[in-house]
Amino acid sequence: MTIPPSAEPAQPEVPNVPSGTAEPLEGMSERQAALALGLGVLVQRAAEVEYILHGLYAHLGGVERPYTDKPHETVTHFITKAKTRLESVSEERVPAQARAALLHDLDLCTAGFDRRNRYIHSCWVHDDEAHGWRTVKGTKGLSHPEVGLVSSDDVWDLASEFARLGDKLVAWDAHFFGTHGVPDLGVPAASSKRL
C-alpha cells in the first residue's frame, strides 16, 4: 500500500494590526481587545518593575553586578530579601524616614504583583449582567478556585500603578545607589544597574 504524500500545512496568516492601536483581532470584540491590550501593558510594566527591584535588591546587598546575585529568583524573593537587606544597611546610607517610605513602596509592589498574578493567570469571561469580567484562578494551598469580578479599568489602573512604582523605585535606586541627574539640564536620575 502506498502512503499518500503529506500536504504542506498552510502557513497561518499573521494579522496586520497597525502598531499603537487596539483594533479587534478576528473574532475578538472591542471589549476583549481592550482587555488583551491592557493585560499586555500590565505585563510590560510589571516586568520593568521586576527588573528595577532586582537591581535595588542587589544594591542593598552591596553587589555591584546584579546579574551575579540570584538572577533566577522570583520577584517575591527580591522584595522579601530587599526588606531583609534594608534592615542591615546603615542609617547613614538609608535614613530611617527614607527606609520606612521604601518599605511602604516594597509592600505596594507585593500587593501589585499579587494582583498581577491573579489577572495574568486567570481565565476571563465577560458577564454582561455584572458589567465586568468574571475571573477564575487556581490557588496554591486552597481546595477551591479563586473567583473574582474585575473591570478592564482595573487592569489599566494596575498597569498605571506599576508605571508609578517603577518611577519611584528608579528614584530610590538612583538616589541611594546611582546618579542623581541634573533636572535643570534635563538629565534624569538613573539607576546604576549593570550587567
Side-chain angles (χ1 to χ4, degrees), residues 140-159:
K140 291 179 185 174
L142 294 180
S143 60
H144 54 85
E146 187 177 301
V147 178
L149 179 65
V150 180
S151 76
S152 295
D153 288 344
D154 295 334
V155 174
W156 284 98
D157 290 345
L158 184 56

Side-chain angles (χ1 to χ4, degrees), residues 65-158:
R65 300 198 181 279
Y67 283 107
T68 63
D69 193 4
K70 304 198 186 260
H72 60 280
E73 287 292 347
T74 63
V75 70
T76 303
H77 173 86
F78 297 144
I79 294 169
T80 303
K81 296 301 181 184
K83 290 177 179 181
T84 303
R85 287 178 171 185
L86 184 58
E87 292 172 8
S88 63
V89 172
S90 71
E91 284 279 326
E92 295 83 40
R93 184 76 190 239
V94 181
Q97 186 175 2
R99 187 180 305 252
L102 178 54
L103 285 170
H104 175 73
D105 288 343
L106 291 173
D107 288 340
L108 291 176
C109 286
T110 299
F113 277 100
D114 286 347
R115 284 178 58 207
R116 181 208 78 95
N117 289 344
R118 266 197 314 279
Y119 293 171
I120 299 304
H121 299 289
S122 286
C123 177
W124 294 72
V125 177
H126 195 265
D127 183 335
D128 290 325
E129 288 182 22
H131 304 288
W133 294 92
R134 294 279 177 195
T135 61
V136 149
K137 177 187 172 302
T139 304
K140 291 179 185 174
L142 294 180
S143 60
H144 54 85
E146 187 177 301
V147 178
L149 179 65
V150 180
S151 76
S152 295
D153 288 344
D154 295 334
V155 174
W156 284 98
D157 290 345
L158 184 56

